[in-house]
């Protein structure tokens, strides 16, 4: 074995010993969080709970070195179904907050309001003309759904 290789090995073993004390602190928090905490959360908890200031890059390096791998949460299947249905999509902002309109029946806005009646809610859907500020159509329902909105829109 050559001399430089021996000293490189010796330096590497010294680094392992240097990181081992920090590894034990990180391992305590990692196990306490049931392997769900990543390097950012562990860095914050080191400072908050153990009063130890450690750089997030060092925490990440030690976690990679000692194979402290976090569990990755699976995607919510119901959220994926909602995205496929396009039920909660947002539309393009055509109005661009220009609410002072002069031409009636050109720009309409809509809103759904929850009203507390007795011991349950009733839902009021309203369509309003922005220029004249008058209510064009409205509809009441005990249930919140797309049928409430479709019932509010007047036929042509």
């Amino acid at each position: 074995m050559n001399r430089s290789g021996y000293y490189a090995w010796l330096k590497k073993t010294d680094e392992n010993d240097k990181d081992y004390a920090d590894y034990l602190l990180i391992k305590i928090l990692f196990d306490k969080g049931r392997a769900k905490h990543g390097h950012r959360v562990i860095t914050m908890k080191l400072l908050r709970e153990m009063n130890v200031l450690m750089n997030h890059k060092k925490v990440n390096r030690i976690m990679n070195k000692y194979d402290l791998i976090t569990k990755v949460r699976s995607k919510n299947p119901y959220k994926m179904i909602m995205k496929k249905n396009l039920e909660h999509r947002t539309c393009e902002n055509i109005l661009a907050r220009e609410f002072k309109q002069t031409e009636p029946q050109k720009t309409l806005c809509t809103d759904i309001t929850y009203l507390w009646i007795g011991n349950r809610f009733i839902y009021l859907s309203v369509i309003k003309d922005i220029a004249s500020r008058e209510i064009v159509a409205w509809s009441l329902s005990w249930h919140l759904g797309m049928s409430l909105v479709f019932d509010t829109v007047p036929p042509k």
Side-chain angles (χ1 to χ4, degrees):
M1 175 181 270
N2 60 1
R3 184 175 290 174
S4 63
Y6 170 74
Y7 284 113
W9 171 80
L10 189 64
K11 185 178 179 185
K12 198 171 201 175
T13 56
D14 288 344
E15 284 179 9
N16 285 346
D17 293 339
K18 183 176 70 176
D19 286 342
Y20 191 73
D22 295 331
Y23 159 72
L24 292 175
L25 293 174
I26 292 169
K27 178 77 170 142
I28 290 169
L29 292 173
F30 187 78
D31 291 338
K32 189 177 173 185
R34 298 188 308 255
K36 293 180 183 176
H37 297 321
H39 71 276
R40 291 180 185 96
V41 174
I42 288 179
T43 304
M44 289 186 285
K45 288 194 174 212
L46 277 170
L47 184 61
R48 196 179 319 134
E49 295 177 10
M50 298 184 172
N51 227 4
V52 175
L53 182 63
M54 196 179 302
N55 193 335
H56 67 281
K57 295 179 212 168
K58 180 178 182 179
V59 173
N60 193 13
R61 180 177 51 81
I62 292 172
M63 286 179 73
N64 288 334
K65 183 189 227 177
Y66 291 100
D67 292 328
L68 298 177
I69 299 169
T70 58
K71 294 176 185 173
V72 178
R73 188 174 51 159
S74 61
K75 289 184 178 180
N76 186 351
Y78 300 107
K79 199 172 187 181
M80 296 298 114
I81 290 170
M82 289 300 159
K83 282 186 178 180
K84 287 180 183 175
N85 288 347
L86 300 174
E87 191 171 315
H88 298 287
R89 66 181 181 268
T90 56
C91 299
E92 185 183 346
N93 185 9
I94 300 171
L95 196 57
R97 299 191 61 84
E98 293 179 19
F99 297 117
K100 294 184 179 177
Q101 299 290 324
T102 55
E103 191 177 328
Q105 297 292 324
K106 180 184 175 190
T107 311
L108 303 174
C109 66
T110 182
D111 188 30
I112 297 175
T113 305
Y114 309 95
L115 302 170
W116 185 255
I117 305 289
N119 58 353
R120 60 186 288 198
F121 280 112
I122 191 168
Y123 302 98
L124 172 66
S125 176
V126 178
I127 297 177
K128 181 179 176 179
D129 183 16
I130 291 182
S132 65
R133 296 187 178 177
E134 65 181 29
I135 303 297
V136 177
W138 60 273
S139 179
L140 283 171
S141 176
W142 289 104
H143 305 287
L144 183 60
M146 291 302 288
S147 62
L148 173 65
V149 178
F150 291 136
D151 291 342
T152 310
V153 177
K156 287 188 175 184

